Amino acid sequence: MIVVVGVVVAVAVAATGGGGSDKKAPTESTASSPSPTLTLPSGLPSLPTDLPSVVPSLPTDLPTDLVPSGLESLVPTLAADEVPYYMLRKGDCFDTDAALPGQAAKRSCTEPHDAEVVKIAELNGTYTTDATLKKAASALCKAPLERKAADQAAGTVRNTLVQYPDTGSYKIGIDNVACSLAAHVGKGAGRLTEPLK
């Protein structure tokens, strides 16, 4: 405790010293102060020596009816540039595929692409049908998409794209909604060729 007080006093003196010519410079003290020492208790437990050297594996004969069907749609096998829509971020540009409605193939915004994410919104509340989820997702996207569309050059943006979870996905915690502006969605249709303004 004395060491701490001494340090505080020394700092206060150094901070207030100087300025006036009639003040004397502080002198160093030659008296030694007690130094704190650190000792560890000697009774610390040691690690057990009988740990297994092989980690057990999971059984291979688990019943298949324990795993719900349809999970592959949540984590499908994707190409390197494809992601589930709920992993998109604001400003991501992507292509769509009618055969894979929940997927997006990420593209550079400076190359031809179908759509660009304007906002990622989050659903809150209880929804028991896909229709109520669709209505809530559309409501979340309406204003941001209208504002962003108004800033675009005439004829560049022709569609809105709202991607949202179905009731099964929502129940397990997927609650993102991707609000995007698009050119004509579909093969052979007009495409966006630069980032939205």
Side-chain angles (χ1 to χ4, degrees):
M1 187 73 154
I2 295 172
V3 174
V4 173
V5 172
V7 171
V8 171
V9 171
V11 170
V13 170
T16 59
S21 59
D22 58 342
K23 294 186 181 178
K24 295 183 180 178
T27 58
E28 282 188 32
S29 171
T30 56
S32 64
S33 300
S35 304
T37 59
L38 176 66
T39 58
L40 295 174
S42 60
L44 291 176
S46 60
L47 291 175
T49 57
D50 58 344
L51 293 174
S53 60
V54 177
V55 178
S57 61
L58 293 174
T60 57
D61 59 345
L62 290 175
T64 57
D65 60 344
L66 291 178
V67 179
S69 64
L71 283 181
E72 63 277 355
S73 67
L74 296 176
V75 187
T77 304
L78 302 173
D81 60 351
E82 291 181 342
V83 296
Y85 86 88
Y86 53 84
M87 293 182 72
L88 292 170
R89 300 289 173 248
K90 180 180 178 181
D92 282 350
C93 294
F94 62 97
D95 284 342
T96 60
D97 184 345
L100 299 169
Q103 306 306 316
K106 287 179 132 182
R107 300 289 180 250
S108 167
C109 292
T110 58
E111 295 174 5
H113 55 281
D114 291 335
E116 181 177 333
V117 179
V118 171
K119 180 179 181 172
I120 296 293
E122 188 175 297
L123 290 162
N124 291 307
T126 304
Y127 304 98
T128 56
T129 66
D130 290 341
T132 57
L133 277 166
K134 179 180 181 178
K135 184 176 180 179
S138 295
L140 287 171
C141 292
K142 183 177 175 29
L145 290 177
E146 286 176 352
R147 279 192 303 270
K148 192 70 164 180
D151 294 338
Q152 306 312 307
T156 56
V157 175
R158 295 191 171 91
N159 291 311
T160 60
L161 180 60
V162 177
Q163 294 168 294
Y164 57 96
D166 61 13
T167 52
S169 300
Y170 186 69
K171 284 179 185 175
I172 64 167
I174 297 173
D175 56 4
N176 281 359
V177 175
C179 310
S180 304
L181 288 178
H184 288 295
V185 176
K187 295 195 185 276
R191 308 205 356 119
L192 299 173
T193 55
E194 59 186 30
L196 296 173
K197 295 180 173 123

